[in-house]
Amino acid sequence: MSLAYGIQLPVQSQSTLYAEPWEAAAGPEDLLAVARAADRAGFAYLACCDHVAIPRRLASAMSTVWYDPVATLAFLAAATERTRLLSHVAVVGLRHPLLGAKQYATLDHLSGGRLILGVGAGHVREEFEVLGADFERRGAVLDESIDALRAALGADEFPEHHGKLYDFEGLGQRPRPAQDRLPLWVGGSSPAALRRAALKGDGWLPQGDPRDLLPDRIARIRRLREDAGIEGPFTVGAIAEPLYVGTAGWDVGRRTLSGPADAIAESLRAFSAMGVDQVQVRFRSRSRDELVGQIQRFGEAVAPLLP
């Protein structure tokens, strides 16, 4: 089994859980440099988060820096050639499916078929309320949104969907996505999210699950798909601990996996043994140049040692 590797972009979201200090003063040129480095280093995707507005009560922890994923990924699509573009994750319940389909179909068309649509339920109540979306029933909204998006992002110029929340037909949208079937990965690690990923998704994006929990959750997804008679490819994801390739010479934190390339590769290969298809990595860094160097070093020294 091969193990793909992708990266959650810096700068575009700056939660205190993971943002590095240098990102606070960073901007478009820094994003471009990182995206181009990842493209050259063979990264499978660049990922971008989604929040519309952060309430004051959460701003000190989450920050209010959350670039729009469609605009950001379109900006980076023009500067890259191979790496795919992942929304990790789009809170699709905040927008009517036809609006979301227009945005993401256009992005896939402009990028030559490089979009992966990652979706999730969301968790910020005020965000839903100010946009008139149903926070309490966001799981059910996401379920139907996935079905509606499947229709709206399919081959039909005049998609059709008749559900409890959304009802449309006879309304044309072009351009169509470049991909015949746009991959849809479902994020989240709750029982409902696992079931949603198994039954409605083409892949699963876990919510930073500890390694010891992954095998049981992967097995649950596979059982759900088997019991429902669902066949076809399914991409299982994982998020690695923070990485630093080589000897840092500064405090990268006790949770960070650092050291020589072979040690890091050995640790990442354990994900493949669990049944993981793609692992998302994030590097500790003190500057854009250090991050670009880490990405380059990973591509040159660690990636060739992955299965």
Side-chain angles (χ1 to χ4, degrees):
M1 174 187 289
S2 62
L3 183 65
Y5 51 96
I7 187 171
Q8 183 86 27
L9 288 162
V11 181
Q12 52 81 36
S13 69
Q14 295 187 26
S15 166
T16 58
L17 290 176
Y18 48 73
E20 301 285 9
W22 67 266
E23 296 178 47
E29 289 300 320
D30 303 289
L31 266 176
L32 281 173
V34 172
R36 286 169 172 153
D39 193 37
R40 291 191 300 268
F43 279 66
Y45 62 76
L46 309 170
C48 188
C49 306
D50 181 25
H51 277 292
V52 173
I54 306 301
R56 196 178 297 274
R57 69 180 178 88
L58 297 175
S60 61
M62 292 180 65
S63 92
T64 58
V65 179
W66 296 85
Y67 287 32
D68 178 79
V70 178
T72 304
L73 293 174
F75 173 65
L76 298 176
T80 55
E81 297 178 359
R82 295 172 296 277
T83 187
R84 304 199 72 172
L85 311 161
L86 169 65
S87 58
H88 188 181
V89 289
V91 185
V92 294
L94 296 177
R95 306 165 182 89
H96 191 284
L98 284 180
L99 175 59
K102 169 59 72 175
Q103 295 173 310
Y104 284 106
T106 302
L107 174 54
D108 193 60
H109 176 80
L110 291 174
S111 68
R114 288 193 278 148
L115 176 66
I116 301 169
L117 181 56
V119 303
H123 66 95
V124 179
R125 175 183 292 274
E126 292 92 331
E127 211 169 21
F128 280 74
E129 291 174 345
V130 75
L131 295 172
D134 190 338
F135 180 78
E136 296 297 341
R137 298 181 61 247
R138 63 193 183 279
V141 172
L142 176 56
D143 285 336
E144 186 172 332
S145 294
I146 291 174
D147 295 338
L149 283 166
R150 286 282 197 202
L153 291 168
D156 195 344
E157 178 183 351
F158 292 87
E160 182 175 344
H161 172 81
H162 304 288
K164 295 179 180 179
L165 302 171
Y166 306 112
D167 191 289
F168 53 83
E169 65 176 315
L171 295 166
Q173 287 190 327
R174 294 183 70 182
R176 307 306 304 152
Q179 299 177 82
D180 292 334
R181 180 181 173 88
L182 202 152
L184 193 152
W185 295 354
V186 177
S189 298
S190 68
L194 294 178
R195 183 175 184 82
R196 185 176 297 120
L199 303 183
K200 292 183 176 290
D202 302 308
W204 175 49
L205 292 165
Q207 191 85 15
D209 300 55
R211 291 193 186 211
D212 60 340
L213 297 181
L214 281 173
D216 285 347
R217 290 176 176 173
I218 294 170
R220 174 170 169 75
I221 288 173
R222 300 210 186 281
R223 282 196 305 272
L224 286 166
R225 289 175 64 81
E226 183 178 349
D227 291 347
I230 300 174
E231 298 180 348
F234 187 87
T235 303
V236 174
I239 299 177
E241 302 84 355
L243 303 181
Y244 193 93
V245 186
T247 302
W250 57 285
D251 183 9
V252 294
R254 61 180 181 83
R255 289 190 60 251
T256 298
L257 177 61
S258 63
D262 57 347
I264 291 175
E266 181 180 6
S267 180
L268 295 179
R269 286 196 297 268
F271 285 112
S272 185
M274 298 177 196
V276 170
D277 302 297
Q278 66 86 8
V279 61
Q280 187 173 116
V281 299
R282 192 177 192 104
F283 301 95
R284 295 300 318 275
S285 61
R286 295 166 294 177
S287 67
R288 181 189 85 183
D289 289 345
E290 186 170 30
L291 176 55
V292 167
Q294 282 289 299
I295 290 170
Q296 180 178 350
R297 194 175 305 172
F298 184 93
E300 292 174 349
V302 179
L305 303 178
L306 298 178

